[in-house]
PDB file of all heavy atoms in Angstrom:
ATOM      1  N   ASN A 104      -4.819  -3.757 -24.567  1.00 92.00           N
ATOM      2  CA  ASN A 104      -5.458  -5.086 -24.516  1.00 92.00           C
ATOM      3  C   ASN A 104      -6.938  -4.947 -24.214  1.00 92.00           C
ATOM      4  O   ASN A 104      -7.751  -5.700 -24.863  1.00 92.00           O
ATOM      5  CB  ASN A 104      -4.828  -5.899 -23.310  1.00 92.00           C
ATOM      6  CG  ASN A 104      -3.434  -6.379 -23.701  1.00 92.00           C
ATOM      7  OD1 ASN A 104      -3.071  -6.470 -24.862  1.00 92.00           O
ATOM      8  ND2 ASN A 104      -2.640  -6.721 -22.672  1.00 92.00           N
ATOM      9  N   THR A 105      -7.341  -4.023 -23.409  1.00 94.00           N
ATOM     10  CA  THR A 105      -8.770  -3.832 -23.105  1.00 94.00           C
ATOM     11  C   THR A 105      -9.479  -3.358 -24.339  1.00 94.00           C
ATOM     12  O   THR A 105     -10.583  -3.858 -24.609  1.00 94.00           O
ATOM     13  CB  THR A 105      -8.886  -2.844 -21.963  1.00 94.00           C
ATOM     14  OG1 THR A 105      -8.148  -3.264 -20.842  1.00 94.00           O
ATOM     15  CG2 THR A 105     -10.360  -2.681 -21.552  1.00 94.00           C
ATOM     16  N   GLN A 106      -8.885  -2.428 -25.065  1.00 93.00           N
ATOM     17  CA  GLN A 106      -9.518  -1.971 -26.329  1.00 93.00           C
ATOM     18  C   GLN A 106      -9.680  -3.095 -27.350  1.00 93.00           C
ATOM     19  O   GLN A 106     -10.674  -3.193 -28.017  1.00 93.00           O
ATOM     20  CB  GLN A 106      -8.758  -0.833 -26.865  1.00 93.00           C
ATOM     21  CG  GLN A 106      -8.915   0.514 -26.099  1.00 93.00           C
ATOM     22  CD  GLN A 106      -8.083   1.659 -26.706  1.00 93.00           C
ATOM     23  OE1 GLN A 106      -7.179   1.447 -27.509  1.00 93.00           O
ATOM     24  NE2 GLN A 106      -8.457   2.851 -26.304  1.00 93.00           N
ATOM     25  N   SER A 107      -8.624  -3.910 -27.423  1.00 92.00           N
ATOM     26  CA  SER A 107      -8.685  -5.046 -28.398  1.00 92.00           C
ATOM     27  C   SER A 107      -9.794  -6.040 -27.962  1.00 92.00           C
ATOM     28  O   SER A 107     -10.473  -6.569 -28.761  1.00 92.00           O
ATOM     29  CB  SER A 107      -7.334  -5.681 -28.573  1.00 92.00           C
ATOM     30  OG  SER A 107      -6.950  -6.327 -27.374  1.00 92.00           O
ATOM     31  N   GLU A 108      -9.839  -6.229 -26.606  1.00 93.00           N
ATOM     32  CA  GLU A 108     -10.891  -7.179 -26.119  1.00 93.00           C
ATOM     33  C   GLU A 108     -12.277  -6.567 -26.391  1.00 93.00           C
ATOM     34  O   GLU A 108     -13.211  -7.286 -26.728  1.00 93.00           O
ATOM     35  CB  GLU A 108     -10.680  -7.412 -24.650  1.00 93.00           C
ATOM     36  CG  GLU A 108      -9.504  -8.317 -24.300  1.00 93.00           C
ATOM     37  CD  GLU A 108      -9.289  -8.429 -22.793  1.00 93.00           C
ATOM     38  OE1 GLU A 108     -10.138  -7.967 -21.997  1.00 93.00           O
ATOM     39  OE2 GLU A 108      -8.269  -9.070 -22.419  1.00 93.00           O
ATOM     40  N   ILE A 109     -12.439  -5.278 -26.226  1.00 94.00           N
ATOM     41  CA  ILE A 109     -13.698  -4.608 -26.493  1.00 94.00           C
ATOM     42  C   ILE A 109     -14.046  -4.778 -27.987  1.00 94.00           C
ATOM     43  O   ILE A 109     -15.175  -5.063 -28.319  1.00 94.00           O
ATOM     44  CB  ILE A 109     -13.653  -3.178 -26.082  1.00 94.00           C
ATOM     45  CG1 ILE A 109     -13.674  -3.078 -24.529  1.00 94.00           C
ATOM     46  CG2 ILE A 109     -14.855  -2.390 -26.626  1.00 94.00           C
ATOM     47  CD1 ILE A 109     -13.407  -1.639 -24.004  1.00 94.00           C
ATOM     48  N   GLU A 110     -13.064  -4.537 -28.860  1.00 92.00           N
ATOM     49  CA  GLU A 110     -13.304  -4.671 -30.282  1.00 92.00           C
ATOM     50  C   GLU A 110     -13.699  -6.091 -30.620  1.00 92.00           C
ATOM     51  O   GLU A 110     -14.551  -6.327 -31.451  1.00 92.00           O
ATOM     52  CB  GLU A 110     -12.068  -4.207 -31.030  1.00 92.00           C
ATOM     53  CG  GLU A 110     -11.813  -2.722 -30.976  1.00 92.00           C
ATOM     54  CD  GLU A 110     -10.500  -2.302 -31.657  1.00 92.00           C
ATOM     55  OE1 GLU A 110      -9.787  -3.144 -32.246  1.00 92.00           O
ATOM     56  OE2 GLU A 110     -10.180  -1.090 -31.591  1.00 92.00           O
ATOM     57  N   ILE A 111     -12.938  -7.006 -30.036  1.00 93.00           N
ATOM     58  CA  ILE A 111     -13.351  -8.436 -30.284  1.00 93.00           C
ATOM     59  C   ILE A 111     -14.731  -8.766 -29.802  1.00 93.00           C
ATOM     60  O   ILE A 111     -15.515  -9.433 -30.538  1.00 93.00           O
ATOM     61  CB  ILE A 111     -12.288  -9.394 -29.604  1.00 93.00           C
ATOM     62  CG1 ILE A 111     -10.951  -9.297 -30.346  1.00 93.00           C
ATOM     63  CG2 ILE A 111     -12.764 -10.849 -29.614  1.00 93.00           C
ATOM     64  CD1 ILE A 111      -9.789  -9.988 -29.612  1.00 93.00           C
ATOM     65  N   ALA A 112     -15.052  -8.225 -28.632  1.00 92.00           N
ATOM     66  CA  ALA A 112     -16.430  -8.457 -28.105  1.00 92.00           C
ATOM     67  C   ALA A 112     -17.436  -7.811 -29.086  1.00 92.00           C
ATOM     68  O   ALA A 112     -18.549  -8.382 -29.294  1.00 92.00           O
ATOM     69  CB  ALA A 112     -16.514  -7.881 -26.708  1.00 92.00           C
ATOM     70  N   ILE A 113     -17.165  -6.625 -29.555  1.00 93.00           N
ATOM     71  CA  ILE A 113     -18.077  -5.961 -30.493  1.00 93.00           C
ATOM     72  C   ILE A 113     -18.202  -6.804 -31.752  1.00 93.00           C
ATOM     73  O   ILE A 113     -19.375  -6.990 -32.280  1.00 93.00           O
ATOM     74  CB  ILE A 113     -17.573  -4.549 -30.847  1.00 93.00           C
ATOM     75  CG1 ILE A 113     -17.737  -3.655 -29.596  1.00 93.00           C
ATOM     76  CG2 ILE A 113     -18.354  -3.949 -32.014  1.00 93.00           C
ATOM     77  CD1 ILE A 113     -17.130  -2.255 -29.754  1.00 93.00           C
ATOM     78  N   ILE A 114     -17.102  -7.291 -32.281  1.00 92.00           N
ATOM     79  CA  ILE A 114     -17.191  -8.128 -33.499  1.00 92.00           C
ATOM     80  C   ILE A 114     -18.022  -9.407 -33.237  1.00 92.00           C
ATOM     81  O   ILE A 114     -18.878  -9.773 -34.047  1.00 92.00           O
ATOM     82  CB  ILE A 114     -15.746  -8.512 -33.937  1.00 92.00           C
ATOM     83  CG1 ILE A 114     -15.013  -7.236 -34.476  1.00 92.00           C
ATOM     84  CG2 ILE A 114     -15.779  -9.565 -35.028  1.00 92.00           C
ATOM     85  CD1 ILE A 114     -13.560  -7.447 -34.788  1.00 92.00           C
ATOM     86  N   HIS A 115     -17.818 -10.071 -32.066  1.00 91.00           N
ATOM     87  CA  HIS A 115     -18.586 -11.244 -31.726  1.00 91.00           C
ATOM     88  C   HIS A 115     -20.052 -10.904 -31.589  1.00 91.00           C
ATOM     89  O   HIS A 115     -20.914 -11.616 -32.041  1.00 91.00           O
ATOM     90  CB  HIS A 115     -18.097 -11.861 -30.466  1.00 91.00           C
ATOM     91  CG  HIS A 115     -16.798 -12.645 -30.626  1.00 91.00           C
ATOM     92  ND1 HIS A 115     -16.576 -13.595 -31.616  1.00 91.00           N
ATOM     93  CD2 HIS A 115     -15.626 -12.578 -29.905  1.00 91.00           C
ATOM     94  CE1 HIS A 115     -15.360 -14.075 -31.517  1.00 91.00           C
ATOM     95  NE2 HIS A 115     -14.764 -13.456 -30.483  1.00 91.00           N
TER      96      HIS A 115
END
Side-chain angles (χ1 to χ4, degrees):
N104 286 341
T105 305
Q106 286 178 343
S107 65
E108 288 175 6
I109 289 171
E110 290 174 4
I111 290 171
I113 289 172
I114 291 171
H115 286 308

